[in-house]
Amino acid sequence: MWQNQVVPSRAAQQAYQYQDVVYVPSFSKVYLFASKNGHLLSELKIQEVIDYWDDFVLTMWGDNKIDLHKTGTDDIVATLSLDNQRLIPEYRRALFKFTYRFGDVLIVYSNYNPAQIQAFRLTDGQLIWEREEPYISRPIIFNNRLAVMVNDTIQFYDLLTGKVQGYLQLVRIARESVIPANNTLRLAWIAASKNLIGVYLIDTAELLAIEVDLTDFEK
């Protein structure tokens, strides 16, 4: 449909879509592209920006503090204190995405030991729920739920409560199946489209596509 390879900042290493806009944040700016045709809509000067939407902005300071602003104002709605002291310095180094939005719920993910997911209310910054598990993947939003891998299980959380609503257990049954190395640093990537979840197990170089029954999360 379109392509655009001209992002004016080498510090911009991620992009994400929200509604009709593709956002590309760097350290001091956010570039807004139209998702329909790729046209550059605007460049917003925002220092220490983590995430940007049409109504809220996240900026960072210190090692574990995130300020929640109303877009277009200097008013700070809330300051979020994260448990992990290394999260924001690591973000500055690699610019990986660790915040996700679902309506008025902000998800913050930390993959350091212990791995943790925290959910905040965007309107006032109130902590809604948090969980600590041996996560091996970053979470994704799938069918109005949060999906994340814990060891060999994909768990589905209710975004509003953090309760487990279902899971997929991966079990090796073939003799020729790859045996994972005795590696404590297991990592995986997961992605989703409609009712399919893709899983890439990095330590064994396996790629899986799983069809999920969206009508029954008790299976």
Side-chain angles (χ1 to χ4, degrees):
M1 294 175 59
W2 59 268
Q3 63 179 9
N4 189 325
Q5 299 176 346
V6 184
V7 177
S9 173
R10 289 183 297 174
Q13 300 183 26
Q14 61 161 294
Y16 56 93
Q17 181 176 347
Y18 183 73
Q19 297 180 351
D20 295 328
V21 178
V22 176
Y23 298 98
V24 184
S26 65
F27 290 120
S28 60
K29 288 185 178 181
V30 180
Y31 303 94
L32 279 64
F33 295 90
S35 59
K36 293 183 179 180
N37 53 31
H39 291 167
L40 180 62
L41 300 175
S42 61
E43 298 180 13
L44 307 175
K45 292 184 178 181
I46 305 175
Q47 295 295 324
E48 301 290 347
V49 61
I50 293 178
D51 243 336
Y52 180 93
W53 303 283
D54 57 352
D55 50 355
F56 288 103
V57 182
L58 298 179
T59 59
M60 56 188 170
W61 58 280
D63 286 345
N64 65 336
K65 303 290 186 182
I66 295 178
D67 280 341
L68 175 63
H69 308 258
K70 279 282 190 180
T71 298
T73 73
D74 293 329
D75 298 336
I76 298 176
V77 177
T79 297
L80 312 181
S81 295
L82 310 178
D83 289 344
N84 194 290
Q85 298 290 329
R86 296 174 52 198
L87 182 58
I88 292 178
E90 183 67 13
Y91 172 84
R92 286 193 178 99
R93 184 181 67 84
L95 273 181
F96 63 82
K97 187 168 179 58
F98 64 93
T99 55
Y100 311 84
R101 179 179 181 177
F102 178 77
D104 287 334
V105 178
L106 173 68
I107 302 296
V108 180
Y109 170 71
S110 170
N111 65 337
Y112 295 105
N113 191 20
Q116 184 183 62
I117 295 175
Q118 293 176 286
F120 299 90
R121 193 164 50 220
L122 272 174
T123 52
D124 58 9
Q126 183 69 36
L127 179 66
I128 305 173
W129 58 267
E130 59 185 347
R131 295 184 67 100
E132 289 186 1
E133 300 279 357
Y135 300 120
I136 66 171
S137 79
R138 301 191 186 280
I140 61 171
I141 294 177
F142 173 72
N143 190 42
N144 297 334
R145 293 170 176 85
L146 196 70
V148 62
M149 280 201 71
V150 181
N151 294 323
D152 291 324
T153 301
I154 302 175
Q155 293 188 356
F156 300 94
Y157 297 156
D158 185 300
L159 280 157
L160 300 180
T161 65
K163 294 181 179 180
V164 177
Q165 291 191 317
Y167 64 91
L168 293 172
Q169 180 71 47
L170 304 183
V171 180
R172 297 180 179 276
I173 58 175
R175 290 183 178 180
E176 63 272 16
S177 179
V178 179
I179 303 300
N182 186 17
N183 185 356
T184 57
L185 187 61
R186 295 194 62 197
L187 294 174
W189 288 97
I190 59 176
S193 177
K194 296 182 180 179
N195 65 331
L196 293 178
I197 288 185
V199 180
Y200 177 58
L201 302 174
I202 297 176
D203 59 336
T204 55
E206 295 171 288
L207 182 62
L208 312 174
I210 305 169
E211 185 175 7
V212 181
D213 182 1
L214 300 180
T215 64
D216 188 355
F217 266 84
E218 297 301 323
K219 290 185 176 180

